[in-house]
Amino acid sequence: MLSAIWLGPPSSAVHAQQNPPLLTKLDEFGAINCVGCHGSKDGPSFKAYSEGPLKSGKFIFLNEYEIWDKHDYHSKAFLNIDPKTSPLAKKMQDTLKYNPTEDKRCLACHATARVKDAAIKELPNIKMTGSDSWFSTTSGVSCESCHGHAKSWFGEHFLEGWRKTAVNEKADKGLNDLRDPEIRTKKCLSCHVGNQQEGKFVTHEMFAAGHPPLPAFEVATFLASQPRHYYTARENQGLRNLEKDPQFKTWEIFHYRSGELAEARNVAIGSVVTFQETIKLFLDDPKKNNSLDFSNMNCYACHHELKIPSDRQAAGFPGVPGRPLIRPTSVELFEAVASCVDPEGYPVFQQKLDTALKEFQKGFDNAPFGDPKVFKSADVMLSGLSTEVLEKVKATKFDTSKSEELFRKLLDRVDERANKSKVYLDHDTARQLIWALEVVRKDLKESGLVKYSVTDDKVQAIFGKVFSLNIRDLNSTDSNKAPLAEMVKPRMSAIENFPLNEFREAFSVYQKLFP
């Protein structure tokens, strides 16, 4: 019965070549081939899979395509760089003197590559689109952009035995293990922060031509706002059922274990990986004329109104005044997580981290837009420290007690940055910290701890005069159709007019909710 309703290709697809050479063009399976099983709860497959032997309806949504197509901005990614449909893209084309729909620097994050991610940078910048091109543009950033090219695993993945298959075997066939929060975060960050090795990087000239500034990225918050097309660990009845079966290694295969607050864990791992990937950009920057691309740095260290009196001047500077800095959003959550996973060893770790960050700061102090030689030596230290923290996070079980500790460390970090730090707290850093707090708070609330049961509306009301905690309107029936350029306008206004004192007052109210 299950095979009869499958709308995909013959099972010979299972035996397709694995691990092809880097610049071998891979067949795009296409999002449309996922519709048969993942299309809609009204579709023919839903009842068969949700009520059949696999009971997939308790494990996955089975309407993922519908959510992605109707509500997820990833499905409209290509349209946003098409000069025919986007006035902003037309303006960028006129300024940059190339068509975004035909250039790999844009298509890398706005289309689905027909090569492995590592090969995108090596592609010849010719014949980027069309039926025999290196990119598929029909569906923007679609299923295979994140889950991996499907031809070698599609024929197996709906069979019962697939759930028992080890993650490394699935990876060999091309399936990305997106249940692993480290792999998932790196996949998201490759575009939402950047990855030079994969040819995914928004340059300063792209920003100058009109590309919207990349917002601070807290992975758990952004995943929920896609909107999410999968069950969280807490919601997933299928995972809990599998855990009862001794044949299933739910931790090794699905990164799930009972008694853990998975969203708190996602915040912790996501924070460390974000720090790692930001630091990595400095190492991987091609350094044209021995200088770094400005977009590696904190945009708002330079792009802000000159005000008297100035909150920035009042806060002070970590080095030479007026120099650009590392993106502060990458550092704050990392430090909070580091203090949580090893509280006893943190004082010594903090000294090492402070030394490395001061060395990194010398890179900005030595030259107006950074000294690559200094960054390289500091990056090695910072990369080692971040790896050390990541291993400790992986070894930590975020049960209720540890998740509460993470929440308290985050509260302390916001209090430190808002009220005691000598470095200016900007809009994006403040909002990112509150995003992380709210993810952990909601996880604690859903675990049954009444003291965290404040409503989302009340939290939004507390911070409402400062910024919106909502990335987008998920209640809209047309929520992925609005031009992204229109969404950027209020965000840029909020950044420019960020009222630091009002944020301090709002945070004080929030903090008192959790004595």
Side-chain angles (χ1 to χ4, degrees):
M1 179 180 179
L2 295 178
S3 297
I5 58 171
W6 174 45
L7 305 182
S11 60
S12 59
V14 174
H15 305 294
Q17 179 186 3
Q18 296 177 19
N19 298 319
L22 205 57
L23 280 180
T24 297
K25 192 174 293 182
L26 303 173
D27 291 335
E28 186 214 9
F29 206 66
I32 195 65
N33 282 298
C34 303
V35 173
C37 300
H38 297 277
S40 168
K41 293 187 176 182
D42 296 325
S45 298
F46 182 78
K47 185 173 182 178
Y49 276 99
S50 61
E51 299 179 5
L54 298 181
K55 296 193 181 300
S56 290
K58 295 183 179 181
F59 187 69
I60 57 176
F61 280 12
L62 291 172
N63 68 333
E64 293 85 354
Y65 178 91
E66 182 179 47
I67 295 171
W68 168 82
D69 182 53
K70 292 184 178 181
H71 302 287
D72 193 330
Y73 268 105
H74 289 95
S75 66
K76 305 296 182 283
F78 180 74
L79 295 178
N80 281 304
I81 63 166
D82 188 350
K84 296 176 184 177
T85 56
S86 168
L88 177 57
K90 179 64 169 65
K91 179 182 177 183
M92 290 185 67
Q93 176 183 259
D94 294 343
T95 302
L96 295 170
K97 310 303 180 189
Y98 60 79
N99 188 336
T101 66
E102 298 174 356
D103 195 287
K104 66 180 182 180
R105 291 169 290 183
C106 304
L107 293 168
C109 285
H110 286 268
T112 299
R114 288 184 170 136
V115 294
K116 290 189 173 183
D117 289 334
I120 294 173
K121 190 175 182 179
E122 308 305 321
L123 290 174
N125 210 6
I126 56 173
K127 196 59 179 173
M128 289 292 109
T129 56
S131 59
D132 62 342
S133 74
W134 294 104
F135 290 90
S136 170
T137 61
T138 54
S139 303
V141 176
S142 61
C143 311
E144 289 169 279
S145 297
C146 300
H147 291 277
H149 293 92
K151 190 171 183 180
S152 294
W153 51 264
F154 188 90
E156 289 182 74
H157 87 287
F158 62 91
L159 302 176
E160 184 173 8
W162 183 252
R163 290 187 182 170
K164 299 178 182 178
T165 303
V167 292
N168 61 320
E169 293 182 43
K170 294 176 181 176
D172 287 343
K173 294 175 185 288
L175 179 67
N176 294 324
D177 181 18
L178 297 184
R179 292 186 186 274
D180 182 331
E182 180 183 2
I183 293 174
R184 182 175 63 236
T185 301
K186 286 184 176 179
K187 172 58 68 175
C188 297
L189 295 180
S190 65
C191 283
H192 288 275
V193 168
N195 186 315
Q196 289 277 10
Q197 293 181 352
E198 295 181 4
K200 301 172 180 177
F201 186 71
V202 185
T203 63
H204 193 257
E205 67 180 31
M206 293 178 187
F207 284 131
H211 191 293
L214 299 177
F217 196 84
E218 197 291 300
V219 65
T221 301
F222 270 72
L223 285 170
S225 299
Q226 279 183 284
R228 186 165 46 80
H229 55 254
Y230 59 90
Y231 290 118
T232 64
R234 188 182 302 282
E235 297 166 343
N236 199 315
Q237 182 62 48
L239 278 176
R240 290 196 290 277
N241 290 340
L242 290 177
E243 191 178 35
K244 299 173 185 176
D245 186 339
Q247 295 184 60
F248 278 92
K249 300 178 180 179
T250 52
W251 175 245
E252 290 85 349
I253 297 177
F254 299 114
H255 309 279
Y256 168 81
R257 53 191 172 189
S258 59
E260 181 163 50
L261 278 65
E263 291 301 293
R265 178 181 182 81
N266 290 340
V267 166
I269 290 182
S271 301
V272 178
V273 174
T274 300
F275 178 76
Q276 285 184 321
E277 294 301 294
T278 302
I279 292 298
K280 188 168 174 283
L281 284 175
F282 282 82
L283 278 175
D284 294 342
D285 190 282
K287 302 173 183 65
K288 296 177 181 178
N289 300 319
N290 201 38
S291 61
L292 294 161
D293 192 294
F294 296 168
S295 63
N296 282 299
M297 305 166 194
N298 177 18
C299 301
Y300 308 111
C302 296
H303 292 279
H304 61 83
E305 292 290 344
L306 301 178
K307 299 178 180 179
I308 300 177
S310 166
D311 286 334
R312 293 175 185 273
Q313 292 173 348
F317 303 92
V320 176
R323 295 287 168 84
L325 306 169
I326 187 175
R327 300 171 188 172
T329 54
S330 67
V331 179
E332 304 305 331
L333 290 178
F334 173 71
E335 292 203 43
V337 171
S339 66
C340 174
V341 294
D342 185 13
E344 291 184 3
Y346 183 69
V348 174
F349 176 86
Q350 187 178 36
Q351 290 179 356
K352 294 179 182 178
L353 181 62
D354 287 347
T355 298
L357 288 173
K358 286 177 182 177
E359 184 65 24
F360 197 89
Q361 180 59 42
K362 289 180 183 177
F364 293 112
D365 293 345
N366 287 0
F369 292 100
D371 183 338
K373 292 180 181 178
V374 176
F375 287 139
K376 185 174 182 179
S377 62
D379 268 1
V380 172
M381 289 190 286
L382 290 170
S383 296
L385 291 171
S386 64
T387 299
E388 179 184 330
V389 175
L390 184 59
E391 291 307 310
K392 289 178 180 177
V393 172
K394 290 179 180 179
T396 300
K397 183 173 182 178
F398 284 82
D399 56 15
T400 301
S401 176
K402 180 55 73 171
S403 298
E404 281 201 274
E405 185 180 348
L406 177 59
F407 184 79
R408 294 292 165 185
K409 294 294 185 183
L410 288 168
L411 280 176
D412 291 345
R413 192 65 191 166
V414 181
D415 184 47
E416 170 71 24
R417 288 292 281 109
N419 300 309
K420 303 167 188 175
S421 174
K422 294 183 179 180
V423 180
Y424 176 70
L425 176 64
D426 62 38
H427 169 280
D428 275 14
T429 305
R431 190 163 74 150
Q432 185 191 43
L433 285 163
I434 301 302
W435 276 339
L437 271 167
E438 278 298 280
V439 172
V440 179
R441 180 192 66 79
K442 291 175 186 177
D443 215 5
L444 288 164
K445 173 184 175 181
E446 291 173 8
S447 72
L449 294 182
V450 177
K451 61 183 175 180
Y452 296 100
S453 295
V454 57
T455 65
D456 295 352
D457 288 343
K458 183 171 183 177
V459 174
Q460 181 57 60
I462 290 172
F463 291 102
K465 293 182 179 179
V466 181
F467 44 52
S468 172
L469 291 175
N470 298 321
I471 297 174
R472 53 182 293 193
D473 181 9
L474 291 179
N475 295 316
S476 170
T477 57
D478 201 30
S479 61
N480 69 348
K481 306 300 189 298
L484 279 178
E486 294 301 315
M487 295 176 61
V488 172
K489 290 179 181 179
R491 179 164 72 87
M492 298 312 298
S493 177
I495 290 171
E496 190 59 54
N497 299 295
F498 176 58
L500 180 55
N501 284 331
E502 289 187 24
F503 172 76
R504 289 173 176 141
E505 293 171 3
F507 176 69
S508 177
V509 173
Y510 181 85
Q511 196 174 25
K512 290 174 182 175
L513 295 175
F514 313 103

